[in-house]
Amino acid sequence: GEQVEQLPSILRVQEGSSASINCSYEDSASNYFPWYKQEPGENPKLIIDIRSNMERKQIQELIVLLDKKAKRFSLHITDTQPGDSAMYFCAAMGGSNNRIFFGDGTQLVVKP
Amino acid sequence: NSKVIQTPRYLVKGQGQKAKMRCIPEKGHPVVFWYQQNKNNEFKFLINFQNQEVLQQIDMTEKRFSAECPSNSPCSLEIQSSEAGDSALYLCASSRQNNQAPLFGEGTRLSVL
């Protein structure tokens, strides 16, 4: 079944505007939520993460929010630039056997 | 530069052939994952290890793949008899401990003709 749902699948924004990607998870034992950015032909790279003892974390233009009660978390990119164009994946960890479950990805396109 | 080293970068096999790929995890990372990423960018978990022990694997991996992470040698993932549907990017990732985001290698892109 779908462990982590990620929406939207494609997101087109104008340069300078913000972009938001939303994820939800099923396993209430999940307690760690990393986000990866993957550019064409490259491997996924960790850009920001949040643990379940936090509700909000910010690194420069990246903000992640976590609502444990609703089992939702989100990534917000403020002041997007063309270099932010890539695939973004959310993930959830913390269940048994150290599994990490990925969302299906969001293709972000930042138009100049 | 990624510190998880995967070889080869590209692999071309015919149907029915064996396909083997290797991964050297980041030093000090006892947890190793293998994922298959298809042309739609979706991740499929294949197997994970802690040190040399298998933690979990999916049914497909158990039946058609062999994988190991011996001490002092690269980890490996081998498809015993390649099928067209196995064409994908195979990503190895490692982490220092549970609940730490794994670091990905650059992947092995397998094409089964």
Side-chain angles (χ1 to χ4, degrees), chain A residues 30-33 49-57 66 68:
Chain A
S30 298
N31 57 13
Y32 176 58
F33 307 91
D49 56 9
I50 190 166
R51 295 193 181 273
S52 59
N53 60 349
M54 300 176 70
E55 295 180 347
R56 184 182 190 278
K57 182 175 180 178
L66 173 62
K68 284 184 295 182

Side-chain angles (χ1 to χ4, degrees), chain B:
Chain B
N1 289 333
S2 176
K3 294 180 181 176
V4 175
I5 308 299
Q6 287 190 250
T7 56
R9 288 293 308 275
Y10 301 94
L11 190 56
V12 180
K13 293 291 178 182
Q15 293 194 48
Q17 289 186 318
K18 289 189 178 185
K20 188 168 187 175
M21 52 206 90
R22 291 177 175 82
C23 171
I24 301 175
E26 165 75 82
K27 192 175 182 180
H29 283 194
V31 182
V32 175
F33 301 82
W34 284 97
Y35 283 88
Q36 180 195 66
Q37 189 177 30
N38 65 20
K39 61 181 180 181
N40 295 322
N41 292 310
E42 296 162 343
F43 286 91
K44 177 189 276 186
F45 169 83
L46 297 177
I47 190 169
N48 60 345
F49 293 83
Q50 180 143 3
N51 296 311
Q52 290 78 54
E53 300 296 320
V54 174
L55 290 178
Q56 194 167 4
Q57 60 183 323
I58 62 171
D59 191 51
M60 178 181 83
T61 307
E62 197 169 353
K63 288 181 178 175
R64 296 183 49 240
F65 292 55
S66 63
E68 60 177 1
C69 267
S71 59
N72 301 317
S73 291
C75 297
S76 64
L77 180 71
E78 183 174 36
I79 306 174
Q80 297 302 307
S81 179
S82 301
E83 300 173 357
D86 295 329
S87 296
L89 179 67
Y90 289 82
L91 289 164
C92 175
S94 70
S95 66
R96 185 175 292 117
Q97 61 189 27
N98 290 347
N99 280 6
Q100 181 185 52
L103 178 67
F104 282 88
E106 295 191 10
T108 293
R109 186 164 297 282
L110 172 65
S111 297
V112 181
L113 305 177

